[in-house]
Amino acid sequence: MGELLRLATAGSVDDGKSTLVGRLLVDTKNIMIDQYTAVEQASAARGLDQADLALLTDGLRAEREQGITIDVAYRYFATPTRSFILADCPGHVQYTRNTVTGASTAQVIVTLVDVRHGVVEQTRRHLAVAALLRVPHVVVAVNKIDLVDFDHGVITEVCDQVRAVGADLGIDDLTVIPVSALLGDNVAEPSDRTPWYDGPSLMAYLETVPVAVDDVDEPGRFPVQYVLRPQSGAGEEFRDYRGYAGRVERGSFSVGDRVCVLPGGRRSTVVGIDLPGGGAGRSAGASESVTLRLADEIDIARGELIAAEPVPEPVRQLDATVCWLDERPLRTGDRLLVKHTTRTVTGIVTGIGGRLNLSTFEEEPAGELALNDIGRIGLTLADPISPDPYAESRTTGSFVLVHPQTGNTLAAGMVS
Amino acid sequence: MSTTTTTTVTSVDEAGTSRARAGGDHLDALENETIHIFREVTAEAERPVLLFSGGKDSVVMLHIARKAFWPAPLPFGLLHVDTGHNFPEVLDYRDRIVAEHGLRLTVEKVQDWIDDGRLIERPDGTRNPLQTQPLLHAIAEGGFDAVYGGGRRDEEKARAKERIVSLRDAFGQWNPRNQRPELWGLYNTRHLPGEHVRVFPLSNWTELDVWRYIVREGIELPSLYFAHERRVFRRGGMWMALSPVTAPRADDRVVTKTVRYRTVGDMSCTGAVESTAADAAAVLAEVAATTVTERGATRADDRLSEAAMEDRKKEGYF
């Protein structure tokens, strides 16, 4: 069984993203007969003469009624070599919110450009979000090439435009693929109507792009989620057991490692790595859920960080870039909850440093951040957190802002 | 009907040690994520509970939950909404698992609601849609603020839009148009008094992943997931079991077939498929080769309309 790849797709209005996703599912034979039949029936009921593949993905009643996609939908497909989790991010309503959500966990993001329109405002926004959230691999599918008769000149011009925007944004790993989602050209199979294109089909790309991140040499980070102390609940053998359950969020840990517990700064040694359900491991790498035991009887609670050298500095002042996701704007002086790894602290917004203009990619002054704005802010925290810069770690450098009363998620944050 | 338990019982502890933890395998990645969700939500919630029907998804969910908190006992109890139309094998299995692991189980019975008039039996006899009110009542009575469910996003189109941690208002309702964005692995479990969160730790698993995991971990399932002989009749393209709640009509021909179930819901609307798969590995092989979704094949309630599941979920269904 193969690797797992987390993928996000983002598109603007009517650029054929749902059709592309439907095409990927159909061409990789990940659509069952009853699902396809339902789509054919629904398409026929609307007077269409071929199956509208977008109907495979638009799940909510309002979406089908309005012919639009409202919310991020998750799709699953597999090939003999890989399993894919696809976060399908619509371009209609709250597009930045949706794209940020999908991009936050994606290893690959695929965004679409309608070849007839070239790079538009939303393309720039999607690529800016991909760059900002540091999605490791970025693909732009230049779609609807059938509608320009597969014209080499027209398509190449748009591909070059896309590459120029990618370069502006500092995206290192950008791949441009000309496709027709409707007809399947360069989606699952290379097209013979684009003989001048010698790159991979979208599917071939997705099956071969490297996903394993080799970060075993990076410093270990283990936010404590839950303290396991069964006391009398699990028999005599475990009466004195004390383990710290969590997930390795960066680097790796081995038995014998010297560690520091933050924000307090106490030091100890890893004496055991217990696997879920029991059994001992020698080491644990990124994304593994394990339980660490330490040599010293120190009192550690949820929200503390077990870290290896070099350890991050606990801070009560934070500079960060945030994507504001709430209707009510963010203002200086706002009091919010900051959730960073397993730690939630109160924060006050001390200043707004500027808003990113997504057309020019320049920062402009801003008194507040409105829905879908991306900007820099300063925060003062009631209790310290110990983050890494987001540029070094997407897991230990990210946080969310939460409304202290309603509990709503207000912003995605990245530590500068 | 013949019922034999065909998988071997493997304890959580043995399963944990019997495999190498290769970082690249996608079942390991899914299990790691599910454990992370259980630990996050259980740490932040006041009073979590796990919905346990004895169906394979809830069985896998319980298996992983026990692993997540080993060696401590499971830090929450189980809740089952009994439609009164459950397969007896599944109820036996449920009670045995609860006793074996020393778990706490609360059962809310739809039959009680029908008997005292709070609910009215539907003309079609199907009780799945009737579960919502008893479920919400049991959640309120128990003071549960985080409710683990075995729903998977690959099951159905409305489920594909659901968050892993999904807020329910004071009426238990889901608002699909105003869901909280779910960023990185940072789950937001906050809610106002009276609200609760539904949590779907298996969100990213597919049916095939679930079966692969059952095989890998040697997890025991209720016997009707495996091929057995049963008296059945054809209804709506499905094989329905002869039972107190599924009477054949005069023109229905009752035959004996070797069948298994892909889902184990309300007997009155859950059909069987013809199969000779007698153990989990054989079922896995069939699932891998199948061309029809599990709900499409055997769940009449989801065929009611294009948005049947969305409508039920908005009201507070699983």
Side-chain angles (χ1 to χ4, degrees), chain A residues 12 22 43 76 84 129 182 196 258 271 325 345 349 362 374 397:
Chain A
S12 333
S43 303
Y76 301 85
F84 298 87
V129 167
L182 186 68
W196 40 267
R258 290 290 295 165
V271 293
L325 307 173
V345 300
V349 180
E362 307 266 324
I374 294 169

Side-chain angles (χ1 to χ4, degrees), chain A residues 1-4 6 32-35 42 55-64 66 69-76 83 85 97 100-101 104-105 133 225-226 228 230 233-234 238 241 245-247 249 274-280 287-291 302 325 337 339-342 344 390 394 398-400 402-409 411-414, chain B residues 12-14 16-17 19 21 23-27 29-33 35-37 39-40 42-44 66-73 75 153-154 156-158 160-163 167 174 176-192 195 203-206 209 212 262 287 290-297 305-308 310-311 314:
Chain A
M1 210 178 338
E3 294 168 306
L4 185 70
R6 290 175 197 260
M32 300 292 185
I33 288 170
D34 58 318
Q35 291 172 309
L55 295 176
L56 281 168
T57 58
D58 291 337
L60 302 176
R61 184 191 291 280
E63 293 178 324
R64 282 192 301 272
Q66 297 167 36
T69 312
I70 291 167
D71 203 342
V72 180
Y74 293 86
R75 304 284 152 201
Y76 301 85
S83 295
I85 299 177
R97 168 186 162 125
V100 168
T101 301
S104 71
T105 53
L133 273 90
Q225 285 189 281
Y226 198 94
L228 290 166
F238 297 105
Y241 184 94
R247 185 168 71 173
E249 297 292 5
D274 292 334
L275 304 180
S287 301
E288 285 192 65
S289 288
V290 294
T291 301
R302 170 177 167 82
L325 307 173
L337 297 174
K339 184 170 191 185
H340 169 254
T341 66
T342 61
T344 303
Y390 188 78
R394 293 173 84 196
S398 53
F399 62 88
V400 291
V402 175
H403 194 285
Q405 276 97 47
T406 65
N408 286 337
T409 304
M414 289 152 282
Chain B
V12 162
D13 310 29
E14 286 167 46
T17 49
R19 63 195 177 82
R21 285 172 66 88
D25 182 281
H26 99 268
L27 283 186
L30 291 171
E31 189 198 52
N32 278 319
E33 179 182 73
I35 289 170
H36 180 250
I37 294 163
R39 289 169 170 175
E40 273 307 280
T42 304
E44 294 201 342
R66 293 184 58 237
K67 289 179 81 164
F69 298 100
W70 180 94
R153 287 171 175 157
D154 83 320
E156 203 279 330
K157 288 197 284 189
K161 303 251 158 174
E162 178 110 47
R163 300 294 183 263
L167 187 68
W174 179 53
R177 299 210 58 165
N178 188 25
Q179 300 196 78
R180 291 172 177 171
E182 201 153 68
L183 299 144
W184 295 287
L186 298 169
Y187 302 109
N188 183 350
T189 62
R190 296 185 84 87
H191 54 271
L192 299 174
E195 296 180 340
S203 284
N204 285 325
W205 296 58
T206 64
D209 295 330
R212 282 183 178 134
R262 288 179 72 178
V287 172
T290 190
T291 54
V292 182
T293 62
E294 59 186 339
R295 287 189 169 269
S305 84
E306 251 196 310
E310 180 184 349
D311 294 343
K314 279 182 183 165

Side-chain angles (χ1 to χ4, degrees), chain B residues 232-253:
Chain B
V232 291
F233 59 93
R234 202 78 182 150
R235 177 71 53 80
M238 305 188 289
W239 290 110
M240 302 304 293
L242 206 57
S243 78
V245 297
T246 47
R249 289 188 285 256
D251 56 342
D252 284 326
R253 210 158 57 85

Side-chain angles (χ1 to χ4, degrees), chain B residues 37-114:
Chain B
I37 294 163
F38 271 123
R39 289 169 170 175
E40 273 307 280
V41 175
T42 304
E44 294 201 342
E46 296 276 325
R47 216 172 143 70
V49 71
L50 185 144
L51 295 173
F52 187 75
S53 64
K56 69 180 188 318
D57 299 311
S58 68
V59 170
V60 165
M61 194 166 60
L62 176 62
H63 178 87
I64 300 175
R66 293 184 58 237
K67 289 179 81 164
F69 298 100
W70 180 94
L74 195 70
F76 42 80
L78 312 183
L79 171 63
H80 182 216
V81 179
D82 182 347
T83 57
H85 286 174
N86 288 97
F87 292 93
E89 302 93 317
V90 179
L91 294 182
D92 291 347
Y93 170 90
R94 176 197 75 186
D95 293 340
R96 194 159 47 75
I97 293 294
V98 165
E100 201 173 293
H101 301 308
L103 306 172
R104 284 170 286 136
L105 171 71
T106 306
V107 179
E108 185 71 28
K109 292 185 170 170
V110 173
Q111 190 64 54
D112 293 346
W113 287 63
I114 291 171

